[in-house]
Amino acid sequence: MKAMRPWVLVVIAVVSALIGWLATTVTNRVSMPTPVLPVSALVTMGVIALITLVMGIQVLRWRNGKKKAMLDPIMAARTLVLAQACAYAGTLLLGWHAGISLDLLRIGTLRSGEGILWNALLMGGGGVVMIIVGLVVERFCRIPPEDFEGGTAGGPEKRRGETKGEGEYAYRGD
């Protein structure tokens, strides 16, 4: 599995901010409510981030050798997928609510929608937390490259248990 690239997250955030801004503009023109998530969604976002962090800490403890029992590779893979999904969902939420916030700041003096603005800012902050947790837990799932085994001078150095993709995510060839 490939690591997330920060520039992809930035592109997703910018595109979702543009779509959020356009959706807010359209809904305001036709007198519909602003498409912002309620504050209660922060609880769900917090639970997702907490579960991701707890699972990531379990993988980190195993990786650092603090757990003697073998780590279930399926659980490690699920943790990695959950971390990446958490970061992508946080990026979408951040971008969408940033676009809404930009539109509300633009017309802030014309309407009394401060409650909605604070709501959008809170949801964007929750998205930032999800992105940070996702990126940190993804790092927890990364296994450092193995030590070199008696590399000979002049020849290619061979790593113990080297396979294609070694040094990537929670996979051990031992």
Side-chain angles (χ1 to χ4, degrees):
M1 197 171 227
K2 300 271 186 196
M4 286 188 296
R5 291 182 172 70
W7 65 269
V8 172
L9 294 177
V10 170
V11 168
I12 291 171
V14 168
V15 169
S16 63
L18 179 65
I19 293 170
W21 178 76
L22 288 172
T24 303
T25 304
V26 169
T27 57
N28 287 337
R29 285 189 182 169
V30 294
S31 299
M32 292 177 65
T34 304
V36 65
L37 287 175
V39 178
S40 61
L42 283 175
V43 174
T44 305
M45 293 166 66
V47 168
I48 291 170
L50 183 67
I51 290 171
T52 305
L53 190 60
V54 167
M55 290 176 71
I57 289 172
Q58 289 177 349
V59 172
L60 180 67
R61 287 181 61 204
W62 173 81
R63 187 187 82 178
N64 291 339
K66 294 186 180 176
K67 275 192 158 183
K68 300 294 180 198
M70 187 65 178
L71 180 71
D72 181 19
I74 299 297
M75 197 277 282
R78 286 180 180 158
T79 302
L80 175 63
V81 169
L82 180 62
Q84 290 183 348
C86 186
Y88 285 128
T91 302
L92 281 171
L93 289 168
L94 172 63
W96 178 267
H97 290 93
I100 291 171
S101 298
L102 287 174
D103 187 63
L104 291 175
L105 285 172
R106 181 180 60 89
I107 62 170
T109 58
L110 301 176
R111 64 191 276 206
S112 61
E114 278 189 26
I116 297 173
L117 177 62
W118 285 112
N119 192 1
L121 292 174
L122 281 173
M123 295 307 295
V128 169
V129 169
M130 288 180 73
I131 294 168
I132 291 170
V133 167
L135 291 174
V136 166
V137 171
E138 184 190 34
R139 291 281 180 191
F140 289 173
C141 294
R142 188 174 208 100
I143 292 180
E146 299 287 330
D147 294 333
F148 290 108
E149 270 186 8
T152 58
E157 294 179 329
K158 186 102 167 136
R159 295 181 187 193
R160 181 174 53 95
E162 183 176 7
T163 61
K164 185 177 181 180
E166 186 73 34
E168 298 220 354
Y169 294 108
Y171 168 77
R172 284 219 153 152
D174 298 335

